[in-house]
Amino acid sequence: MIAALRQRHHGELKFSGVGGVQMAAEGMDSLFPIADLSVMGLAEILPRVPLLLRRLRETCLHVKTVRPSALITIDAPGFSFRLAKRLAGEGIPLIHYVAPQVWAWRPGRARHLAGRIDHLLALLPFEPDFFSDYDLPCDFVGHPVIEGVAEAPGDGPEFRRGLAIPSGVPVLALLPGSRVGEVSRLLPVFGQVAALLHAQRPGLHVVIPTVEQVAGVVAAAIADWPMPTHLVEGTARRADAFAAADVALAASGTVSLELALRGIPTVVAYRTNPFTAALMRRMLIIPHVALPNILAERAVVPEFLQQDCRAEPIAVALAQLLDDPDERSRQREALADVAGMLGQGGTLPSLRAADAVLQIIADGSIGRIEDNAGK
Protein backbone atom coordinates (compact mmCIF):
# COMPACT_ATOMS: atom_id res chain seq x y z
CA MET A 1 0.00 0.00 0.00
CA ILE A 2 2.72 2.50 0.97
CA ALA A 3 4.85 1.74 -2.09
CA ALA A 4 1.83 1.95 -4.37
CA LEU A 5 0.70 5.28 -2.92
CA ARG A 6 4.16 6.68 -3.57
CA GLN A 7 4.01 5.35 -7.12
CA ARG A 8 0.58 6.85 -7.82
CA HIS A 9 1.04 10.18 -6.00
CA HIS A 10 3.62 12.57 -7.41
CA GLY A 11 3.87 14.86 -4.40
CA GLU A 12 5.39 14.33 -0.97
CA LEU A 13 3.83 11.68 1.25
CA LYS A 14 4.44 10.91 4.91
CA PHE A 15 3.29 7.80 6.76
CA SER A 16 2.78 7.28 10.46
CA GLY A 17 1.06 4.56 12.45
CA VAL A 18 1.39 0.95 13.53
CA GLY A 19 3.04 -1.69 11.37
CA GLY A 20 5.61 -4.42 10.95
CA VAL A 21 8.97 -4.87 9.29
CA GLN A 22 7.73 -4.35 5.74
CA MET A 23 6.16 -1.00 6.61
CA ALA A 24 9.35 -0.05 8.45
CA ALA A 25 11.29 -0.86 5.28
CA GLU A 26 9.07 1.65 3.46
CA GLY A 27 10.00 4.36 5.97
CA MET A 28 7.22 4.20 8.57
CA ASP A 29 8.16 4.19 12.26
CA SER A 30 5.68 2.09 14.24
CA LEU A 31 4.26 3.56 17.45
CA PHE A 32 4.70 0.15 19.11
CA PRO A 33 5.46 -3.45 18.03
CA ILE A 34 2.75 -4.87 15.79
CA ALA A 35 3.06 -8.13 17.76
CA ASP A 36 1.13 -6.41 20.59
CA LEU A 37 -1.99 -6.71 18.41
CA SER A 38 -1.30 -10.21 17.06
CA VAL A 39 -3.76 -12.17 19.16
CA MET A 40 -6.71 -14.31 18.04
CA GLY A 41 -9.58 -15.95 19.90
CA LEU A 42 -11.34 -14.92 23.10
CA ALA A 43 -9.22 -17.07 25.40
CA GLU A 44 -6.05 -15.54 23.98
CA ILE A 45 -7.30 -11.95 24.02
CA LEU A 46 -8.66 -11.73 27.59
CA PRO A 47 -5.28 -11.73 29.41
CA ARG A 48 -4.04 -8.95 27.11
CA VAL A 49 -7.00 -6.59 27.37
CA PRO A 50 -5.15 -3.97 29.49
CA LEU A 51 -2.30 -3.78 26.97
CA LEU A 52 -4.69 -3.61 24.01
CA LEU A 53 -6.69 -0.79 25.59
CA ARG A 54 -3.51 1.16 26.32
CA ARG A 55 -2.34 0.75 22.73
CA LEU A 56 -5.77 1.89 21.52
CA ARG A 57 -5.57 5.08 23.59
CA GLU A 58 -2.03 5.78 22.39
CA THR A 59 -2.98 5.33 18.75
CA CYS A 60 -6.09 7.49 19.02
CA LEU A 61 -4.14 10.33 20.62
CA HIS A 62 -1.47 10.07 17.95
CA VAL A 63 -4.01 10.30 15.10
CA LYS A 64 -5.69 13.33 16.67
CA THR A 65 -2.31 15.00 17.08
CA VAL A 66 -0.97 14.25 13.59
CA ARG A 67 -4.27 14.98 11.77
CA PRO A 68 -3.56 12.80 8.69
CA SER A 69 -5.18 13.24 5.29
CA ALA A 70 -6.68 9.78 5.84
CA LEU A 71 -6.63 7.02 8.42
CA ILE A 72 -6.21 3.59 6.84
CA THR A 73 -6.83 0.75 9.26
CA ILE A 74 -5.70 -2.65 8.04
CA ASP A 75 -7.48 -5.82 9.16
CA ALA A 76 -7.43 -6.36 12.99
CA PRO A 77 -11.14 -5.43 13.26
CA GLY A 78 -11.30 -5.60 17.05
CA PHE A 79 -8.68 -2.86 17.29
CA SER A 80 -9.39 -0.99 14.05
CA PHE A 81 -13.12 -0.45 14.51
CA ARG A 82 -12.74 0.69 18.11
CA LEU A 83 -10.18 3.19 16.89
CA ALA A 84 -12.51 4.35 14.11
CA LYS A 85 -15.37 4.78 16.57
CA ARG A 86 -13.23 7.05 18.77
CA LEU A 87 -12.22 9.13 15.74
CA ALA A 88 -15.67 9.57 14.18
CA GLY A 89 -16.49 13.23 13.77
CA GLU A 90 -12.82 14.31 13.70
CA GLY A 91 -13.01 15.18 9.98
CA ILE A 92 -10.50 12.49 9.00
CA PRO A 93 -11.47 10.04 6.20
CA LEU A 94 -11.73 6.60 7.78
CA ILE A 95 -10.77 3.83 5.35
CA HIS A 96 -10.62 0.18 6.30
CA TYR A 97 -8.50 -2.16 4.19
CA VAL A 98 -9.66 -5.81 4.28
CA ALA A 99 -13.40 -6.03 4.66
CA PRO A 100 -14.31 -7.98 7.81
CA GLN A 101 -15.85 -11.37 7.18
CA VAL A 102 -19.17 -10.49 8.78
CA TRP A 103 -20.86 -12.25 5.86
CA ALA A 104 -19.57 -15.50 7.37
CA TRP A 105 -20.98 -15.28 10.86
CA ARG A 106 -22.58 -11.97 11.88
CA PRO A 107 -24.01 -10.14 8.85
CA GLY A 108 -25.90 -7.71 11.05
CA ARG A 109 -22.60 -6.20 12.20
CA ALA A 110 -22.22 -4.63 8.76
CA ARG A 111 -24.87 -2.10 9.79
CA HIS A 112 -22.81 -0.99 12.79
CA LEU A 113 -19.69 -0.88 10.64
CA ALA A 114 -21.40 1.50 8.22
CA GLY A 115 -21.66 4.01 11.05
CA ARG A 116 -17.97 3.84 11.94
CA ILE A 117 -16.00 4.03 8.71
CA ASP A 118 -16.31 5.89 5.42
CA HIS A 119 -15.05 3.32 2.96
CA LEU A 120 -14.04 -0.33 2.70
CA LEU A 121 -11.35 -1.85 0.50
CA ALA A 122 -12.26 -5.49 -0.12
CA LEU A 123 -10.04 -8.42 -1.02
CA LEU A 124 -12.80 -10.76 -2.19
CA PRO A 125 -14.95 -10.11 -5.29
CA PHE A 126 -18.39 -10.71 -3.77
CA GLU A 127 -17.91 -8.29 -0.85
CA PRO A 128 -18.91 -4.96 -2.51
CA ASP A 129 -22.38 -6.34 -3.33
CA PHE A 130 -22.78 -7.61 0.23
CA PHE A 131 -21.87 -4.28 1.84
CA SER A 132 -23.93 -2.23 -0.62
CA ASP A 133 -27.01 -3.64 1.11
CA TYR A 134 -25.86 -1.75 4.22
CA ASP A 135 -25.10 1.54 2.41
CA LEU A 136 -21.38 1.11 2.97
CA PRO A 137 -19.13 2.14 0.04
CA CYS A 138 -16.80 -0.72 -0.81
CA ASP A 139 -14.28 -1.33 -3.61
CA PHE A 140 -12.91 -4.73 -4.62
CA VAL A 141 -9.17 -4.17 -5.05
CA GLY A 142 -7.94 -7.78 -5.22
CA HIS A 143 -5.93 -9.84 -2.78
CA PRO A 144 -2.34 -8.71 -1.99
CA VAL A 145 -1.15 -12.31 -1.98
CA ILE A 146 -1.30 -12.02 -5.78
CA GLU A 147 1.65 -9.66 -5.71
CA GLY A 148 3.73 -11.87 -3.46
CA VAL A 149 3.25 -14.77 -5.86
CA ALA A 150 4.02 -12.63 -8.91
CA GLU A 151 7.16 -11.14 -7.36
CA ALA A 152 8.50 -14.49 -6.10
CA PRO A 153 7.38 -17.42 -8.28
CA GLY A 154 10.05 -19.65 -6.73
CA ASP A 155 12.61 -22.09 -8.11
CA GLY A 156 11.67 -25.62 -7.07
CA PRO A 157 14.50 -27.52 -8.77
CA GLU A 158 17.14 -25.22 -7.27
CA PHE A 159 15.57 -25.61 -3.81
CA ARG A 160 15.68 -29.40 -4.14
CA ARG A 161 19.29 -29.33 -5.32
CA GLY A 162 20.30 -27.15 -2.38
CA LEU A 163 18.87 -29.68 0.08
CA ALA A 164 19.89 -32.76 -1.93
CA ILE A 165 16.26 -33.81 -2.47
CA PRO A 166 16.03 -36.02 -5.57
CA SER A 167 13.59 -34.85 -8.22
CA GLY A 168 11.27 -37.85 -7.86
CA VAL A 169 11.00 -37.71 -4.06
CA PRO A 170 7.72 -36.32 -2.67
CA VAL A 171 7.87 -33.03 -0.75
CA LEU A 172 5.17 -32.10 1.75
CA ALA A 173 4.81 -28.44 2.76
CA LEU A 174 3.43 -27.80 6.25
CA LEU A 175 1.96 -24.40 7.11
CA PRO A 176 0.88 -24.53 10.78
CA GLY A 177 0.13 -20.80 11.16
CA SER A 178 1.85 -17.56 12.05
CA ARG A 179 0.79 -17.24 15.69
CA VAL A 180 2.28 -19.11 18.60
CA GLY A 181 -1.13 -20.39 19.71
CA GLU A 182 -1.92 -21.77 16.25
CA VAL A 183 1.46 -23.46 15.92
CA SER A 184 1.21 -25.00 19.39
CA ARG A 185 -2.19 -26.52 18.58
CA LEU A 186 -1.58 -27.60 15.00
CA LEU A 187 2.05 -28.60 14.66
CA PRO A 188 1.76 -31.77 16.79
CA VAL A 189 -1.05 -33.01 14.53
CA PHE A 190 0.83 -31.94 11.40
CA GLY A 191 3.88 -33.82 12.65
CA GLN A 192 1.81 -36.99 13.11
CA VAL A 193 0.46 -36.61 9.58
CA ALA A 194 3.98 -36.27 8.19
CA ALA A 195 5.13 -39.33 10.13
CA LEU A 196 2.28 -41.43 8.73
CA LEU A 197 3.06 -40.37 5.18
CA HIS A 198 6.78 -40.91 5.73
CA ALA A 199 6.16 -44.44 6.99
CA GLN A 200 4.47 -45.22 3.67
CA ARG A 201 6.99 -43.22 1.61
CA PRO A 202 10.41 -43.39 3.34
CA GLY A 203 11.96 -40.85 0.96
CA LEU A 204 9.44 -38.10 1.78
CA HIS A 205 10.82 -34.70 2.79
CA VAL A 206 8.96 -32.04 4.77
CA VAL A 207 9.41 -28.29 4.33
CA ILE A 208 7.97 -25.76 6.79
CA PRO A 209 7.96 -22.15 5.57
CA THR A 210 7.62 -20.00 8.68
CA VAL A 211 7.85 -16.46 9.98
CA GLU A 212 10.19 -14.92 12.51
CA GLN A 213 7.74 -14.71 15.41
CA VAL A 214 7.17 -18.49 15.51
CA ALA A 215 10.41 -19.83 14.00
CA GLY A 216 11.86 -20.72 17.41
CA VAL A 217 8.74 -22.58 18.50
CA VAL A 218 8.67 -24.55 15.24
CA ALA A 219 12.39 -25.37 15.38
CA ALA A 220 12.05 -26.80 18.90
CA ALA A 221 8.99 -28.86 17.96
CA ILE A 222 10.51 -30.52 14.90
CA ALA A 223 13.91 -31.34 16.45
CA ASP A 224 13.09 -35.04 16.94
CA TRP A 225 10.88 -35.67 13.92
CA PRO A 226 11.82 -38.94 12.16
CA MET A 227 11.58 -37.65 8.58
CA PRO A 228 13.91 -35.12 6.85
CA THR A 229 12.41 -31.75 7.79
CA HIS A 230 13.57 -28.34 6.58
CA LEU A 231 12.62 -25.09 8.30
CA VAL A 232 12.44 -22.27 5.77
CA GLU A 233 12.61 -18.53 6.53
CA GLY A 234 12.65 -15.51 4.24
CA THR A 235 10.40 -14.56 1.32
CA ALA A 236 12.62 -15.93 -1.46
CA ARG A 237 13.24 -19.31 0.17
CA ARG A 238 9.56 -19.57 1.09
CA ALA A 239 8.63 -19.21 -2.59
CA ASP A 240 11.25 -21.79 -3.57
CA ALA A 241 9.90 -24.23 -0.98
CA PHE A 242 6.38 -23.83 -2.35
CA ALA A 243 7.64 -24.38 -5.89
CA ALA A 244 9.33 -27.61 -4.75
CA ALA A 245 6.28 -28.95 -2.88
CA ASP A 246 4.05 -31.65 -4.33
CA VAL A 247 1.24 -31.13 -1.79
CA ALA A 248 0.59 -28.94 1.24
CA LEU A 249 -1.14 -29.16 4.61
CA ALA A 250 -2.09 -25.69 5.81
CA ALA A 251 -3.85 -23.92 8.62
CA SER A 252 -7.02 -22.18 7.55
CA GLY A 253 -6.21 -18.60 6.57
CA THR A 254 -4.61 -16.44 3.90
CA VAL A 255 -1.93 -19.03 3.18
CA SER A 256 -4.60 -21.23 1.59
CA LEU A 257 -5.05 -18.51 -1.04
CA GLU A 258 -1.31 -18.31 -1.64
CA LEU A 259 -1.26 -22.06 -2.20
CA ALA A 260 -4.23 -21.71 -4.56
CA LEU A 261 -2.47 -19.02 -6.59
CA ARG A 262 0.61 -21.23 -6.80
CA GLY A 263 -1.48 -24.20 -7.87
CA ILE A 264 -0.34 -26.47 -5.06
CA PRO A 265 -2.78 -29.29 -4.16
CA THR A 266 -3.76 -28.61 -0.56
CA VAL A 267 -5.53 -29.92 2.50
CA VAL A 268 -6.67 -27.42 5.14
CA ALA A 269 -6.87 -28.19 8.85
CA TYR A 270 -7.59 -26.06 11.89
CA ARG A 271 -8.25 -26.37 15.57
CA THR A 272 -8.84 -23.59 18.08
CA ASN A 273 -9.52 -23.75 21.81
CA PRO A 274 -12.89 -25.37 22.71
CA PHE A 275 -14.43 -22.17 24.10
CA THR A 276 -13.79 -20.15 20.93
CA ALA A 277 -14.84 -23.10 18.77
CA ALA A 278 -18.18 -23.45 20.59
CA LEU A 279 -18.97 -19.78 20.02
CA MET A 280 -18.01 -19.94 16.35
CA ARG A 281 -20.19 -23.00 15.74
CA ARG A 282 -23.20 -21.06 17.03
CA MET A 283 -22.54 -18.06 14.79
CA LEU A 284 -21.03 -19.41 11.56
CA ILE A 285 -23.52 -19.27 8.67
CA ILE A 286 -21.36 -20.52 5.79
CA PRO A 287 -20.59 -24.18 4.97
CA HIS A 288 -16.82 -23.75 4.49
CA VAL A 289 -13.96 -21.95 6.24
CA ALA A 290 -11.10 -22.36 3.74
CA LEU A 291 -11.02 -19.29 1.53
CA PRO A 292 -10.67 -21.20 -1.76
CA ASN A 293 -13.82 -23.13 -0.85
CA ILE A 294 -15.69 -19.96 0.11
CA LEU A 295 -14.84 -18.35 -3.24
CA ALA A 296 -15.64 -21.46 -5.27
CA GLU A 297 -18.79 -22.14 -3.18
CA ARG A 298 -17.81 -25.80 -2.99
CA ALA A 299 -15.21 -28.05 -1.37
CA VAL A 300 -12.24 -27.48 -3.66
CA VAL A 301 -9.76 -28.37 -0.90
CA PRO A 302 -10.56 -30.88 1.89
CA GLU A 303 -11.17 -29.31 5.31
CA PHE A 304 -10.51 -30.96 8.68
CA LEU A 305 -11.72 -28.77 11.53
CA GLN A 306 -11.81 -29.10 15.32
CA GLN A 307 -12.61 -32.73 16.27
CA ASP A 308 -11.92 -33.76 12.66
CA CYS A 309 -8.43 -32.25 12.82
CA ARG A 310 -6.80 -35.66 13.34
CA ALA A 311 -3.74 -37.18 11.78
CA GLU A 312 -5.24 -40.32 10.24
CA PRO A 313 -7.96 -38.80 8.01
CA ILE A 314 -5.72 -35.88 7.04
CA ALA A 315 -2.97 -38.29 6.00
CA VAL A 316 -5.47 -40.25 3.87
CA ALA A 317 -6.53 -37.06 2.04
CA LEU A 318 -2.92 -36.04 1.39
CA ALA A 319 -2.01 -39.55 0.25
CA GLN A 320 -4.80 -39.39 -2.32
CA LEU A 321 -3.37 -36.14 -3.70
CA LEU A 322 0.13 -37.62 -3.77
CA ASP A 323 -0.90 -40.87 -5.43
CA ASP A 324 -3.71 -39.87 -7.81
CA PRO A 325 -2.66 -37.62 -10.74
CA ASP A 326 -6.29 -37.10 -11.75
CA GLU A 327 -7.20 -35.84 -8.28
CA ARG A 328 -4.27 -33.43 -8.34
CA SER A 329 -5.32 -32.16 -11.77
CA ARG A 330 -8.94 -31.65 -10.68
CA GLN A 331 -7.88 -29.60 -7.69
CA ARG A 332 -5.38 -27.53 -9.69
CA GLU A 333 -8.07 -26.66 -12.25
CA ALA A 334 -10.41 -25.52 -9.48
CA LEU A 335 -7.61 -23.52 -7.82
CA ALA A 336 -6.91 -21.78 -11.14
CA ASP A 337 -10.55 -20.65 -11.23
CA VAL A 338 -10.17 -19.27 -7.69
CA ALA A 339 -7.04 -17.38 -8.75
CA GLY A 340 -8.99 -15.74 -11.56
CA MET A 341 -11.72 -14.65 -9.15
CA LEU A 342 -9.11 -12.94 -6.98
CA GLY A 343 -7.87 -10.82 -9.89
CA GLN A 344 -4.68 -12.66 -10.79
CA GLY A 345 -3.33 -11.30 -14.07
CA GLY A 346 -4.99 -7.86 -13.80
CA THR A 347 -3.96 -4.53 -12.25
CA LEU A 348 -1.97 -5.14 -9.09
CA PRO A 349 -4.13 -5.00 -5.93
CA SER A 350 -1.83 -2.48 -4.23
CA LEU A 351 -2.21 -0.05 -7.13
CA ARG A 352 -5.99 -0.47 -7.14
CA ALA A 353 -6.04 0.15 -3.40
CA ALA A 354 -3.81 3.23 -3.72
CA ASP A 355 -6.04 4.65 -6.47
CA ALA A 356 -9.09 4.17 -4.25
CA VAL A 357 -7.44 5.89 -1.27
CA LEU A 358 -6.28 8.87 -3.29
CA GLN A 359 -9.73 9.24 -4.84
CA ILE A 360 -11.40 9.15 -1.42
CA ILE A 361 -9.04 11.85 -0.15
CA ALA A 362 -9.65 13.95 -3.27
CA ASP A 363 -13.42 13.59 -2.90
CA GLY A 364 -13.36 14.48 0.79
CA SER A 365 -15.59 11.49 1.55
CA ILE A 366 -16.05 12.08 5.26
CA GLY A 367 -19.47 13.69 5.68
CA ARG A 368 -21.40 10.49 6.22
CA ILE A 369 -19.52 9.48 9.35
CA GLU A 370 -19.50 13.03 10.68
CA ASP A 371 -23.30 13.03 10.39
CA ASN A 372 -23.58 9.67 12.15
CA ALA A 373 -21.26 10.85 14.91
CA GLY A 374 -23.56 13.74 15.62
CA LYS A 375 -26.69 11.64 16.02
Side-chain angles (χ1 to χ4, degrees):
M1 166 72 85
I2 294 174
L5 282 166
R6 286 205 173 102
Q7 183 176 338
R8 291 302 208 202
H9 183 71
H10 302 297
E12 183 181 5
L13 287 173
K14 294 182 180 180
F15 299 91
S16 178
V18 180
V21 292
Q22 289 178 295
M23 286 188 177
E26 291 291 338
M28 192 193 82
D29 293 327
S30 186
L31 299 178
F32 51 82
I34 189 68
D36 286 358
L37 306 183
S38 298
V39 289
M40 184 177 181
L42 291 178
E44 291 83 357
I45 289 173
L46 288 175
R48 302 185 69 178
V49 165
L51 173 63
L52 292 169
L53 290 176
R54 185 169 80 249
R55 293 311 196 195
L56 180 63
R57 290 192 298 269
E58 292 170 357
T59 308
C60 184
L61 177 60
H62 178 76
V63 174
K64 289 181 177 180
T65 302
V66 172
R67 305 293 305 174
S69 300
L71 171 69
I72 305 171
T73 51
I74 302 175
D75 211 1
F79 183 87
S80 296
F81 298 149
R82 285 176 173 82
L83 178 64
K85 182 179 181 180
R86 295 185 180 206
L87 293 168
E90 290 289 330
I92 300 169
L94 305 176
I95 304 166
H96 188 69
Y97 192 6
V98 184
Q101 295 178 352
V102 291
W103 39 263
W105 54 291
R106 292 182 68 182
R109 289 193 64 196
R111 187 173 294 104
H112 301 292
L113 182 59
R116 294 189 178 185
I117 64 171
D118 294 293
H119 209 102
L120 271 176
L121 303 181
L123 308 188
L124 305 179
F126 60 82
E127 291 176 321
D129 284 343
F130 171 84
F131 287 103
S132 69
D133 292 340
Y134 297 91
D135 193 29
L136 179 52
C138 179
D139 291 329
F140 168 60
V141 298
H143 205 291
V145 74
I146 290 170
E147 297 184 53
V149 171
E151 292 168 1
D155 187 334
E158 179 59 31
F159 182 86
R160 283 175 174 263
R161 282 192 294 270
L163 294 174
I165 305 174
S167 59
V169 166
V171 173
L172 167 66
L174 298 181
L175 294 307
S178 58
R179 298 177 177 89
V180 172
E182 288 177 327
V183 171
S184 299
R185 285 189 296 269
L186 295 177
L187 197 55
V189 177
F190 284 20
Q192 293 169 16
V193 171
L196 289 171
L197 293 173
H198 180 255
Q200 301 163 356
R201 301 161 183 79
L204 179 135
H205 281 243
V206 173
V207 296
I208 308 180
T210 191
V211 292
E212 181 181 0
Q213 57 263 36
V214 297
V217 175
V218 175
I222 67 175
D224 59 352
W225 282 15
M227 74 294 297
T229 304
H230 314 281
L231 189 62
V232 178
E233 295 185 71
T235 302
R237 291 204 72 220
R238 172 187 176 91
D240 292 341
F242 281 139
D246 295 288
V247 296
L249 171 59
S252 178
T254 300
V255 72
S256 66
L257 290 184
E258 181 175 1
L259 293 164
L261 291 168
R262 295 186 183 277
I264 301 172
T266 298
V267 171
V268 167
Y270 203 77
R271 179 187 291 167
T272 188
N273 70 75
F275 178 59
T276 301
L279 285 178
M280 291 302 297
R281 276 195 297 269
R282 293 174 63 89
M283 295 186 291
L284 201 65
I285 60 173
I286 56 175
H288 306 292
V289 301
L291 288 168
N293 294 345
I294 292 171
L295 285 164
E297 298 183 320
R298 62 188 180 92
V300 170
V301 301
E303 297 180 1
F304 295 89
L305 310 175
Q306 291 305 113
Q307 68 271 15
D308 295 326
C309 183
R310 296 180 290 110
E312 291 79 7
I314 295 172
V316 169
L318 285 167
Q320 184 177 11
L321 288 172
L322 282 169
D323 299 339
D324 187 343
D326 291 337
E327 184 63 24
R328 289 198 302 275
S329 295
R330 280 193 291 270
Q331 192 180 121
R332 284 194 177 110
E333 289 174 5
L335 294 178
D337 291 339
V338 169
M341 296 176 193
L342 289 171
Q344 191 174 43
T347 302
L348 292 178
S350 62
L351 294 176
R352 295 178 65 173
D355 290 341
V357 168
L358 293 172
Q359 188 62 55
I360 292 165
I361 293 173
D363 291 345
S365 305
I366 58 174
R368 187 170 59 86
I369 300 304
E370 287 185 323
D371 290 342
N372 285 343
K375 291 181 181 179

